[in-house]
Amino acid sequence: MINIVLFGPPGAGKGTQALRLSERYGLVHLSTGDIFRRNIHEGTALGRSARSYMDKGELVPDTVTIAMLEAEVDAHPHAKGFIFDGFPRTEKQAEALDSFMARKDQQISLMLSLQVPEQELKKRLLQRGATSGRADDANPEVVQNRIAVYARETAPVAHYYKRQSKLVRIDGVGPLDVISQRLYDAIEQL
Ligand code: ADP
């Protein structure tokens, strides 16, 4: 099994690249952001509790997020592996993921971390906000808060994987195909 954590700030291109990786390697793509948005759209209890946090650009609480992620993994018992997109976003989530995988005799193979400068992120998010219909992209204050939350709560998760020698940094600026190739190269080195 190969299990990849695709990491990077909001607007780094995780969603686009995760889709390509999941197709190329036959992995199940789990995007916590997409799962939350689907729940909001469907009006579930989970969606109702996630919404207030997402609208402000805050993280959904760990207990809620971890339980949801574990249920999604368990819903794919025959998967060849997973691409985790948008998870883990806190050290608590990273620890929970490790012990959850260990209980299944599995582990994270590597973390691919997309590196994109802050100015470029803001530009991409506001551009996406004009067409995506995502309220959290359209409001500059919320975009700024997501970037701040990333720096404060999520960036340290990279150190967690670095300590396990699983962190690979990938330049996330350039044509999409070039970035994909950088990711493929890192995976094929495994
Ligand atoms: P982006 O990476 O562009 O910010 P996502 O779709 O990954 O977009 O996430 C959107 C929002 O969903 C986040 O701002 C946060 O509120 C919530 N969210 C997604 N993943 C997590 C997570 N692992 N932990 C807590 N909140 C999350």
Side-chain angles (χ1 to χ4, degrees):
M1 234 175 149
I2 148 163
N3 297 301
I4 296 172
V5 172
L6 189 59
F7 191 73
K14 297 186 294 291
T16 309
Q17 296 295 344
L19 208 66
R20 294 176 172 209
L21 295 179
S22 69
E23 282 172 5
R24 184 176 172 104
Y25 299 105
L27 305 174
V28 174
H29 172 206
L30 292 184
S31 157
T32 42
D34 286 352
I35 299 166
F36 283 134
R37 279 186 290 275
R38 192 168 70 230
N39 276 277
I40 290 173
H41 184 72
E42 291 170 355
T44 67
L46 175 65
R48 280 193 297 279
S49 62
R51 178 166 203 159
S52 57
Y53 299 98
M54 293 175 73
D55 283 350
K56 287 181 285 201
E58 298 290 334
L59 295 182
V60 178
D62 282 335
T63 45
V64 175
T65 306
I66 290 165
M68 176 191 83
L69 190 280
E70 293 186 356
E72 288 286 332
V73 171
D74 284 336
H76 295 91
H78 305 298
K80 279 169 62 186
F82 293 88
I83 300 197
F84 298 104
D85 161 9
F87 187 94
R89 250 172 158 105
T90 62
E91 290 199 78
K92 254 220 165 73
Q93 292 179 13
E95 286 163 9
L97 181 60
D98 268 355
S99 42
F100 177 66
M101 297 301 265
R103 291 200 293 279
K104 299 176 173 296
D105 283 326
Q106 294 297 334
Q107 58 168 343
I108 295 301
S109 316
L110 90 163
M111 166 186 267
L112 298 170
S113 173
L114 290 168
Q115 314 284 306
V116 179
E118 184 167 329
Q119 274 315 312
E120 171 76 14
L121 295 175
K122 286 187 197 156
K123 198 181 83 192
R124 290 186 190 177
L125 288 169
L126 294 172
Q127 253 168 25
R128 187 169 81 187
T131 54
S132 71
R134 272 180 61 171
D136 63 342
D137 285 342
N139 179 332
E141 273 167 37
V142 174
V143 165
Q144 190 61 51
N145 192 40
R146 282 159 62 204
I147 293 174
V149 168
Y150 176 82
R152 189 173 67 232
E153 298 183 51
T154 303
V157 175
H159 303 292
Y160 180 91
Y161 288 96
K162 186 166 198 297
R163 285 196 294 277
Q164 299 186 5
S165 307
K166 289 178 180 169
L167 170 66
V168 180
R169 293 191 183 87
I170 304 285
D171 180 359
V173 180
L176 285 180
D177 289 346
V178 173
I179 298 168
S180 301
Q181 191 58 52
R182 293 176 188 143
L183 294 164
Y184 303 156
D185 289 346
I187 292 170
E188 281 156 33
Q189 296 246 315
L190 269 181

